[in-house]
Amino acid sequence: MGSEEEAKRRKQLKRYIAREGLTCVMNDTKWRRLLDALLSPDQLRCALDYRRKDIQEGARDLTIWDEDEYHVFGGWDAIEWLDIRARILRRRGALQDPMIEDRTDELVAVLRSISVPFSLTKEGVRVWGYTRPGEAPEWA
């Protein structure tokens, strides 16, 4: 995307945020810290899954997850929320029950160490980019 197109996109995004009365929770620095932590072998490098909802997006299919950080983190200034699944189902063969590997505690420790606000979900955590009027996440 060219710089003129990007500037236009950002301007439209700012107008939408103001019109809808959204409250910004994350900024570029926090998103960058989060991405760096997820990619760092020293912090947390395990197979996590992601799904995101952008602020101008309608209803979201909550069954679709993506394991590629680079698909998920592009244009983070528009992310309303980002779910990170830390409970991963590991198949062990046709005759054995799958094993659930739960990395939630490790993920929570990393998020706290980099001061990224989040709430807990059934599958892991939700990082909030914006909140809407009347929406009150239960912060962890």
Side-chain angles (χ1 to χ4, degrees):
M1 188 179 292
S3 61
E4 189 175 310
E5 292 169 341
E6 178 63 16
K8 183 179 177 182
R9 183 191 72 82
R10 284 183 178 264
K11 189 174 182 179
Q12 289 173 337
L13 194 62
K14 284 182 182 183
R15 281 197 308 264
Y16 180 86
I17 290 166
R19 185 176 67 243
E20 296 296 316
L22 302 181
T23 301
C24 184
V25 177
M26 294 282 280
N27 58 31
D28 284 347
T29 302
K30 288 181 181 181
W31 283 118
R32 171 60 55 201
R33 267 193 257 150
L34 176 59
L35 180 59
D36 290 346
L38 293 171
L39 295 177
S40 171
D42 297 333
Q43 293 268 345
L44 175 72
R45 192 62 181 141
C46 58
L48 299 171
D49 292 325
Y50 308 91
R51 65 180 173 210
R52 74 183 254 180
K53 180 184 180 296
D54 288 355
I55 58 174
Q56 294 177 297
E57 187 176 14
R60 186 85 172 115
D61 182 352
L62 297 178
T63 63
I64 299 174
W65 292 87
D66 191 342
E67 62 185 25
D68 188 338
E69 294 91 353
Y70 293 105
H71 289 162
V72 175
F73 278 92
W76 55 48
D77 58 341
I79 297 175
E80 183 169 343
W81 51 256
L82 173 70
D83 283 347
I84 305 173
R85 182 166 57 179
R87 291 177 48 91
I88 310 296
L89 188 70
R90 301 280 182 224
R91 305 237 179 257
R92 299 189 298 175
L95 300 177
Q96 291 184 336
D97 289 335
M99 179 180 76
I100 295 177
E101 180 182 341
D102 191 349
R103 307 295 289 267
T104 304
D105 291 342
E106 186 180 349
L107 178 58
V108 165
V110 168
L111 295 177
R112 287 188 174 141
S113 76
I114 59 174
S115 300
V116 168
F118 65 95
S119 56
L120 293 172
T121 66
K122 188 174 105 180
E123 292 102 351
V125 301
R126 174 168 286 177
V127 175
W128 294 86
Y130 297 90
T131 57
R132 293 185 179 272
E135 191 172 54
E138 191 172 316
W139 303 107

